Amino acid sequence: MSRLSLTQLATLQAFVRTGTLAAAADHLGYTPGAVSQHVSALERTFGARLVERSGRHLVLTDAGRVLVEYADRMLAVEKEARHAIASAEGRVAGPLLVGTWGSTAAGLLAPVVGRMTETFPEVAVRSREVDLDDAAAAVRRGDVDVAFGLDYADAPIPRDDRITVTALHLETFAIAVAAGSGRPRSRRVDVEVLAELDWILPASGSQYGRALRSGFRRRGFEPRVVHEVTDTAASLQLAAAGLGATVMTDLMRRLNPTSHLQRLEMADPLTRQIVLIAPRRADVRQPIAAFTAVVTDVVAALLKAPSPRR
């Protein structure tokens, strides 16, 4: 039996994640022929078929699915070992891929990367937009090294021993309506007023949408949703145009500081926690530890200041 190759395991892993050998080759920077050779070499190593044709597509065999589970674990250990060795040498260096989305990309990424560049110049920070609902899974899979996330009382991030979740900042939701809509500025509103409004909210199937609807229901009303919009900046624009009410936090407000919005306060406001999601044993990965410390400081400095009000 030939010696096992981590490179070949990474190729098999990429095939599973991208869906085709061609996509895996593009993702890894190999030729399709090289990817096929890696899979064939693994089959010779284990003496078993790992992929088979199903119609026009290649899929994993039962043996292939077993090997992928081990491949994920072995490659994760290999990455952990590399970072542990770097840590033992006292170096804070290497690549760091950060998962971002919406308001964190717009409001936090630039100052965080700037601080990292100043403080830890040997860490090469890159970012990739991730679906917010998939942020924790992206860290578990190793698609990104660390990711921003959101935790809601009514829709928490599922925890397990593969990730750690660090709280960064507790945000309070206000209600945003068009300026000049006849409601006093910064006035607290009760449930009866909220129940009368038309609403601009994200889809109910998303973590965000579920959290808002559940929170409103616990406060005694069912929001009448007239526009389902996930993008925060678009929601604020629609609210400013008088198409309904939406929710906003201080960080979200930074996406649209010039819109003609009026801020209303709930007597019992909804909240959410901005968090940083990292893999288990992040303590042996110096770039992640450094990034976590920098993010904590930057978020505290940025979000302690009051948001612009209209």
Side-chain angles (χ1 to χ4, degrees):
M1 183 178 291
S2 59
R3 187 177 295 275
L4 179 63
S5 164
L6 291 178
T7 299
Q8 293 164 4
L9 288 177
T11 298
L12 184 66
Q13 185 187 67
F15 164 68
V16 173
R17 292 180 178 177
T18 61
T20 67
L21 292 180
D26 184 64
H27 175 73
L28 296 171
Y30 298 145
T31 65
V35 167
S36 295
Q37 290 173 11
H38 288 176
V39 174
S40 296
L42 281 175
E43 291 180 330
R44 290 193 299 272
T45 296
F46 289 97
R49 291 290 303 276
L50 302 177
V51 297
E52 62 186 3
R53 190 162 294 281
S54 177
R56 300 177 60 185
H57 303 285
L58 284 177
V59 298
L60 291 176
T61 63
D62 289 343
R65 283 188 285 271
V66 170
L67 181 57
V68 166
E69 292 183 9
Y70 282 96
D72 289 343
R73 288 151 59 183
M74 285 187 282
L75 291 168
V77 169
E78 187 256 355
K79 180 184 287 188
E80 187 175 299
R82 290 182 180 275
H83 288 287
I85 290 170
S87 176
E89 294 180 342
R91 295 173 57 238
V92 183
L96 185 72
L97 183 56
V98 181
T100 62
W101 38 265
S103 50
T104 56
L108 298 179
L109 187 60
V112 167
V113 172
R115 180 77 65 83
M116 284 292 295
T117 300
E118 293 175 4
T119 312
F120 303 102
E122 291 189 77
V123 177
V125 180
R126 297 181 296 122
S127 69
R128 175 183 299 167
E129 187 171 6
V130 297
D131 186 313
L132 180 53
D133 286 1
D134 193 51
V139 173
R140 291 187 187 97
R141 294 191 302 264
D143 294 343
V144 295
D145 295 311
V146 64
F148 290 102
L150 289 174
D151 221 12
Y152 299 89
D154 292 288
I157 295 172
R159 266 63 163 184
D160 61 43
D161 60 4
R162 292 171 293 175
I163 61 170
T164 61
V165 179
T166 301
L168 297 175
H169 180 72
L170 184 67
E171 291 196 301
T172 299
F173 282 105
I175 309 302
V177 297
S181 61
R183 303 192 183 281
R185 181 179 301 177
S186 299
R187 170 190 159 190
R188 289 185 178 273
V189 291
D190 55 26
V191 169
E192 288 72 19
V193 173
L194 297 176
E196 294 174 357
L197 299 175
D198 290 333
W199 285 90
I200 305 160
L201 295 179
S204 59
S206 66
Q207 178 202 26
Y208 184 20
R210 289 194 304 274
L212 292 177
R213 286 167 174 79
S214 296
F216 286 148
R217 286 167 190 152
R218 287 197 296 107
R219 285 157 178 78
F221 77 99
E222 183 72 25
R224 184 173 63 245
V225 180
V226 295
H227 298 288
E228 281 197 350
V229 180
T230 300
D231 182 80
T232 297
S235 297
L236 295 177
Q237 288 284 4
L238 293 177
L243 273 65
T246 193
V247 294
M248 68 177 178
T249 65
D250 289 347
L251 182 60
M252 293 162 63
R253 188 70 172 95
R254 294 169 188 268
L255 291 174
N256 205 337
T258 60
S259 291
H260 298 291
L261 288 170
Q262 184 177 344
R263 181 187 182 105
L264 305 178
E265 308 289 349
M266 297 174 61
D268 181 17
L270 303 177
T271 61
R272 71 179 186 182
Q273 184 77 245
I274 301 174
V275 300
L276 194 67
I277 307 165
R280 181 184 64 87
R281 294 302 312 277
D283 56 310
V284 303
R285 300 178 60 176
Q286 291 282 16
I288 291 180
F291 186 82
T292 301
V294 165
V295 167
T296 301
D297 288 345
V298 169
V299 168
L302 282 178
L303 299 186
K304 70 180 179 182
S307 64
R309 308 277 176 109
R310 286 188 175 273

